[in-house]
Amino acid sequence: QVQLLESGGGLVQAGGSLRLSCAASGRTFNRYNMGWFRQATGKEREFVAAINWSGTNTYYGDSVKGRFTISGDNAKSMVYVEMNSLKPEDTAVYYCAASSKWVPTTPTRIDYWGQGTQVTVSS
């Protein structure tokens, strides 16, 4: 069993930065592939970024490439996403996700979800 808790969301102006954190609990956390998704009001959940369990490979959604960076710290059971050059269209609830078998680039292959943290980007 893995529990995920996101933090770091908030209100930021366009062009600003935020760093989201995901704290994981569970004895085998370091064997999970981790990811971030987001869901804006009235829209489907969208892939943002993912990292494999060893930290050797990262993946990004097209809309955030070059602006967001995902990283992980297995020793601390943490996953982060650094978000730069934020745009109003980045406004959404951001969810942390864990998958034991797949790198989580689609919301259909997730074992565990966090509760989400709101990010609002003002223009």
Side-chain angles (χ1 to χ4, degrees), residues 34-49:
M34 302 297 296
W36 288 92
F37 290 79
R38 66 187 182 187
Q39 189 164 18
T41 303
K43 295 187 177 182
E44 294 184 351
R45 196 162 293 192
E46 174 190 18
F47 168 66
V48 174

Side-chain angles (χ1 to χ4, degrees), residues 6-112:
E6 304 93 337
S7 62
L11 174 64
V12 63
Q13 288 189 334
S17 299
L18 279 176
R19 186 195 197 202
L20 303 184
S21 300
C22 174
S25 61
R27 294 176 61 185
T28 59
F29 168 74
N30 62 358
R31 286 295 184 261
Y32 279 83
N33 305 293
M34 302 297 296
W36 288 92
F37 290 79
R38 66 187 182 187
Q39 189 164 18
T41 303
K43 295 187 177 182
E44 294 184 351
R45 196 162 293 192
E46 174 190 18
F47 168 66
V48 174
I51 187 168
N52 67 337
W53 68 268
S54 64
T56 55
N57 294 301
T58 57
Y59 307 81
Y60 296 93
D62 288 342
S63 61
V64 306
K65 280 180 182 176
R67 300 188 298 123
F68 290 14
T69 303
I70 188 171
S71 61
D73 186 338
N74 282 340
K76 296 182 178 179
S77 298
M78 297 290 294
V79 177
Y80 310 96
V81 61
E82 184 77 31
M83 307 186 297
N84 298 314
S85 302
L86 283 162
K87 306 174 182 180
E89 50 263 45
D90 294 318
T91 295
V93 177
Y94 283 71
Y95 297 91
C96 182
S99 176
S100 60
K101 294 184 179 181
W102 315 100
V103 175
T105 58
T106 170
T108 59
R109 293 178 171 177
I110 305 300
D111 295 323
Y112 302 102

